[in-house]
Amino acid sequence: MLAEAIFFSAVLFTIGVIGVLTRRNAIIIFMCVELMLNAVNLSFVAFARAYGVAGQIFVFFVMTVAAAEAAVGLAIIIALFRHKQTVNLQNINLLRG
Amino acid sequence: MLLQHEVSAVGHPLAGTVAEWLWLLPLLPLLGFVINGLLSLVPATVLGPGDPDIAHGAEGAHGEAGHGVAVHAHDSADDHGAHGDDHHRVVRHRFAWLTSIVGPAVLAVAFGLAVAIFLAMRGVGEMSAPFVQRYFSWMPAGSLRIDAAFQLDQLSMVMILVITGVGTLIHLFSVGYMQDDPGYPRYFAYLNLFVAFMLVLVLGASYPVLFVGWEGVGLCSYLLIGFWFSEKANADAGKKAFIVNRIGDFGLLIAMFLLFANLGALDFVGVNEAATRLTFGGPLVTAICLFMFLGCTGKSAQIPLYIWLPDAMAGPTPVSALIHAATMVTAGVYLIARSSVLFSMAPVAGLTVTVIGALTAIFAATIGLKQWDIKKVLAYSTVSQLGYMFIGVGSGAYVAGIFHLVTHAFFKALLFLGSGSVIFAMHAAYHHTGSHEDAQDMRNMGGLSRYMRVTWVLMWIATLAIAGVPFFAGFFSKDEILGSVFLRARESTLADASWLGIPGSSVLYAAYALGLAAALLTAIYMTRMMLYTFHGPNRTGEKERDHLGEAPWIMTGPLVVLGVLSLFGGWLNLPALTSFLGPVGALDRWLEPVVGESARRVTSGVAPEPAHNVELALVGSAVAIALLGIIIAAVRLKPARLVPKAQAPEEHGIERVLANKYYVDEAYDRVVVEPTVGISRGVLWKGIDQGIIDSVFVNGSARLARGVASLGSWIQSGQVGTYAWVLVIGVLAVLGAFTIR
Amino acid sequence: MEHYPLFYTFHFYLFGLVAVASAILFVTRRSPVSAAMWLVSTMFSLAALYVMLDAPFIGVIQVLVYAGAIMVVFLFVIMLLNLGQASEIADVRSQGWRLAAGLVGLALLAEIFALTRSSSVSGLTLAPGTAARAVNDAGAVGMVAGPLFTTYLLPFEITSVLLLAAIVGSVMIGKQRRAADAR
């Protein structure tokens, strides 16, 4: 089932990428990034079955980081929304050079 | 090769003697430089009458040491207005007493050490190889290996004794002369530094080390000529000396490059060894010698680069005595004597040196005839005498050249210091009455013998010495040079060579004739200077006359010592003719290991022993010429008819040409300076600098940076979406690269 | 080649396809809330796949942490900000951008497949059923806990620091600024 799992993982990852590229809502883009993380987790689990349990440990760490990232990221989005009254990234260009 | 040197130094007879302390010689004056240099950072205090507020203002404006206030107007006081009321204030430095001790003391100790080393050299007897001391490897680069090394041999010993000996006397004189100058410690710092570099110059064991000293003395010369730099003329004179010397230094550098490229060595031992393998009279050795001589014409003020030396009189008079008469300007003579092996291999170069020396001698002497500034007379006299030295070393009479160098150091230092003493008295007199007359113009002097008897007597001794009156120092040395040229014109490798198509012997005879003529002129202009300065009626002024007087003992003391040396300096190298006076040819024997072989190569191995009657004729003609010159001057010149400078009539005809130094400065201005400035301004500045460098490189690079930056700024839109696109495309590219692989 | 029963294979493909379909719906929904709900669906399907891939503990964690905690926080924020209004709906890029994104996605897929096809690490492959036996021997939790508290103890402790930092950071960032602080 390794090949199939990798196939699904790749497809999910690509969907996440397309989501990031086509949407402008910060929360949606954030969720797309979560989807990409999940896609990678799937391949990690599949590899763990084939090559050893270390893959599962990785998934564990990825989840931890994702949780932390979600907390901080959502806090940033809230702060941004307070400041700009929008989460549409087209209207946010604070980093413009 | 290197190991051999070390071994030879270890096995050298001087090893383990006081000569091991060689390095201390330049270090002592350097120590004096450091101490006096530090003292010069302390501002001068204002003593005596005068509004202290103004003085402080002046100090503040000039930042340090208050040397902006040129209190001592010893400089060529052509424009007195600039001094204004500062004239009447005495500004003595707070630490002048310390400088007065340190400055001369380091020199005195160095002289003591030099004497000790000399005695050690005498003690070891025959010394054929130089005593080389390596201190560290200075420039190891590929096959180029230059050590910081000193070399002691008979030639450098002579130079060391002259530099430290005469230097000590001049330092002592300076104590009296410069004490009341606000920049007194600075003056001594420069003077000490000069001596340190001069010792490096004569002690260096290789051309690069010599060059360090060569450039160092040039720097000190520049600093001291422009010592009273608050007046533009003085600063300009310093610049002129520096720039003209650069032209010469370029020649010396090229000579060194050629030496290294063709001989593979730059240390004197190595070069002398390798030089004998060169083709005799070949183009290479001739080129090396000619380039080296170009350096000498700059440093030793020969045609065509002599023009800086008369202007260098803008510096304090003791500086003129030490640097521009006794030591630094003789560096060129030393260099040729040091490179005697090379020059003896190149007859054409030797003839060139002789010709230039002879032309300079006569040319400068004619200018000296009509100068009114007492220091200018001495300056042209120095140029002329340096010409004599080059006649000597050029024609292969290296010992004669060095001999004249030594005696000239004695009597010219005496003349300069004597003139300094005169100027000191004149200046003090004008200072008392607040007059702004020229303290250096001989038309303002006259009859000074009544007021300054010591100076008067000593100056006459020096004048007789330089004129070549028998048994004074200059007589022996000048006579030896002229005699050598005459003999070498009859038979030598120089006489066999041809110079620009002219047979060498004719060239040498011409040089001899010019030398004789210059001797006549020397006697005339020196007597003229003495007559106008010390004899006849006094023209200083009614009120000023009462304030004329002899200088303090600290200044007359060194004069007396130099007077004795000018009297007996000839005993260093007595000719065979005067064997009744003492041992003959002491300097000849002393310098034999250094230049003997080269001198013999020039004279084709035969010792130039002239027939007795020929020698008598030579000496007789020289003496006759000298006496004739003095008599002509005494008879023709009427000091009583002179009027003070302010009322002097304009000169006409040849007099005017001579007074204006043949308009050489003006000609150089027209031919060299103005085109250079024009090209620099029109092409280099407006065209290349502004047109190309500024617009293309300076502003162009700025525009390029701004363009790139605005592109980067445009890319940084701040849109996260755009960044994500760029990122993904980058990921695609990287993955694609892996896929294709 | 390991053999799988049809029942297993069928459900594997089923959950895989559900995950993909939910993901497609997730990126195409305009409303953030429905998008989030479809993402939760994807995550549930993934949890099922984890269990089928002999990682039951990870599957449970997936449901608890991802589908449970994280997605709930997302929904909270969406509702807190009152998104889903008309002004926020028009967040999808234009047709041309979507087409370009599709092409980029296809290219990315192609590259990933090309890479997974070309490289294999057969030498490291475990014998079939090793993971399943480990679950039986050490238990679903023990299988992960063993290495986590031995080999990976230091990274594990560091994650606790990371989480602490994230908590402090998110509190500080998300805190409502008082007027005095704003100045």
mmCIF file of all heavy atoms in Angstrom, chain B residues 114 152 189 209 247 251 394 421 497 572 707 725:
data_model
loop_
_atom_site.group_PDB
_atom_site.id
_atom_site.type_symbol
_atom_site.label_atom_id
_atom_site.label_comp_id
_atom_site.label_asym_id
_atom_site.label_seq_id
_atom_site.Cartn_x
_atom_site.Cartn_y
_atom_site.Cartn_z
ATOM 1 N N ALA B 114 79.986 56.422 17.365
ATOM 2 C CA ALA B 114 80.641 56.338 16.059
ATOM 3 C C ALA B 114 82.156 56.350 16.220
ATOM 4 O O ALA B 114 82.871 55.588 15.558
ATOM 5 C CB ALA B 114 80.191 57.499 15.160
ATOM 6 N N LEU B 152 78.617 47.927 7.658
ATOM 7 C CA LEU B 152 79.652 48.874 8.096
ATOM 8 C C LEU B 152 80.918 48.583 7.311
ATOM 9 O O LEU B 152 81.424 47.461 7.327
ATOM 10 C CB LEU B 152 79.912 48.707 9.603
ATOM 11 C CG LEU B 152 80.925 49.686 10.177
ATOM 12 C CD1 LEU B 152 80.363 51.082 10.187
ATOM 13 C CD2 LEU B 152 81.315 49.279 11.591
ATOM 14 N N ALA B 189 62.665 67.716 16.653
ATOM 15 C CA ALA B 189 62.141 66.396 16.288
ATOM 16 C C ALA B 189 62.486 66.103 14.831
ATOM 17 O O ALA B 189 63.005 65.029 14.509
ATOM 18 C CB ALA B 189 60.636 66.370 16.505
ATOM 19 N N VAL B 209 67.228 49.364 1.491
ATOM 20 C CA VAL B 209 67.388 49.983 2.808
ATOM 21 C C VAL B 209 67.940 51.394 2.637
ATOM 22 O O VAL B 209 67.496 52.344 3.286
ATOM 23 C CB VAL B 209 68.310 49.126 3.700
ATOM 24 C CG1 VAL B 209 68.499 49.793 5.050
ATOM 25 C CG2 VAL B 209 67.744 47.746 3.873
ATOM 26 N N ILE B 247 61.295 63.160 -8.955
ATOM 27 C CA ILE B 247 61.744 62.849 -10.316
ATOM 28 C C ILE B 247 63.033 62.039 -10.250
ATOM 29 O O ILE B 247 63.200 61.038 -10.949
ATOM 30 C CB ILE B 247 61.941 64.150 -11.114
ATOM 31 C CG1 ILE B 247 60.630 64.917 -11.164
ATOM 32 C CG2 ILE B 247 62.443 63.852 -12.507
ATOM 33 C CD1 ILE B 247 60.770 66.307 -11.750
ATOM 34 N N GLY B 251 64.252 57.659 -10.933
ATOM 35 C CA GLY B 251 65.430 57.104 -11.590
ATOM 36 C C GLY B 251 66.110 56.055 -10.734
ATOM 37 O O GLY B 251 66.465 54.978 -11.211
ATOM 38 N N GLY B 394 82.642 60.852 -10.824
ATOM 39 C CA GLY B 394 82.335 60.478 -12.200
ATOM 40 C C GLY B 394 83.567 60.038 -12.939
ATOM 41 O O GLY B 394 83.535 59.087 -13.723
ATOM 42 N N SER B 421 74.682 82.970 12.010
ATOM 43 C CA SER B 421 75.057 83.872 13.094
ATOM 44 C C SER B 421 74.866 85.327 12.671
ATOM 45 O O SER B 421 74.357 86.163 13.429
ATOM 46 C CB SER B 421 76.508 83.573 13.469
ATOM 47 O OG SER B 421 77.014 84.543 14.320
ATOM 48 N N ALA B 497 86.934 55.789 -23.950
ATOM 49 C CA ALA B 497 85.535 55.733 -24.386
ATOM 50 C C ALA B 497 85.183 57.029 -25.111
ATOM 51 O O ALA B 497 85.956 57.986 -25.129
ATOM 52 C CB ALA B 497 84.628 55.554 -23.188
ATOM 53 N N LEU B 572 93.473 64.891 6.206
ATOM 54 C CA LEU B 572 92.887 63.566 6.007
ATOM 55 C C LEU B 572 93.531 62.855 4.826
ATOM 56 O O LEU B 572 93.656 61.649 4.817
ATOM 57 C CB LEU B 572 91.387 63.697 5.739
ATOM 58 C CG LEU B 572 90.477 63.882 6.942
ATOM 59 C CD1 LEU B 572 89.052 64.075 6.457
ATOM 60 C CD2 LEU B 572 90.556 62.657 7.830
ATOM 61 N N GLY B 707 19.130 51.435 -9.864
ATOM 62 C CA GLY B 707 18.267 50.679 -10.762
ATOM 63 C C GLY B 707 17.997 49.285 -10.228
ATOM 64 O O GLY B 707 16.839 48.844 -10.157
ATOM 65 N N TRP B 725 3.654 32.248 -5.018
ATOM 66 C CA TRP B 725 3.851 31.851 -6.419
ATOM 67 C C TRP B 725 5.335 31.693 -6.724
ATOM 68 O O TRP B 725 5.754 30.693 -7.303
ATOM 69 C CB TRP B 725 3.248 32.901 -7.352
ATOM 70 C CG TRP B 725 1.810 32.648 -7.640
ATOM 71 C CD1 TRP B 725 0.745 33.125 -6.962
ATOM 72 C CD2 TRP B 725 1.304 31.809 -8.672
ATOM 73 N NE1 TRP B 725 -0.423 32.656 -7.497
ATOM 74 C CE2 TRP B 725 -0.103 31.832 -8.556
ATOM 75 C CE3 TRP B 725 1.878 31.030 -9.673
ATOM 76 C CZ2 TRP B 725 -0.927 31.118 -9.411
ATOM 77 C CZ3 TRP B 725 1.043 30.329 -10.524
ATOM 78 C CH2 TRP B 725 -0.343 30.371 -10.389
#
